[in-house]
Amino acid sequence: MNPFQFLQEVRQEAAKVTWPTWKEVWITSVMVLIMVILAALFFMAVDQVLGTIVNYVLRMGR
């Protein structure tokens, strides 16, 4: 396969791609940001609860 034919085929395949609109990109980005914030808050809460439990158990041994 020669490079010219390869580039033609790449261009044809790229033309078939359905690119998202800016609105779709914006909405998806906001959704990802919200999910990241929710996950961070969840893991922070779990870390606090587990840390409190571990401190309580360790203090019992004194």
Side-chain angles (χ1 to χ4, degrees):
M1 177 182 294
N2 64 29
F4 182 71
Q5 182 182 1
F6 174 75
L7 290 176
Q8 281 182 329
E9 290 178 12
V10 167
R11 187 175 172 123
Q12 288 172 352
E13 290 299 319
K16 295 178 186 177
V17 173
T18 303
W19 297 100
T21 64
W22 281 110
K23 184 178 179 182
E24 292 171 333
V25 171
W26 175 252
I27 290 172
T28 305
S29 298
V30 170
M31 289 172 51
V32 168
L33 183 62
I34 290 169
M35 291 306 295
V36 166
I37 291 169
L38 289 175
L41 291 173
F42 171 77
F43 285 115
M44 184 178 71
V46 169
D47 183 54
Q48 290 294 322
V49 169
L50 291 177
T52 302
I53 292 170
V54 168
N55 282 332
Y56 177 74
V57 169
L58 291 176
R59 286 188 192 141
M60 285 177 38
R62 288 186 176 178

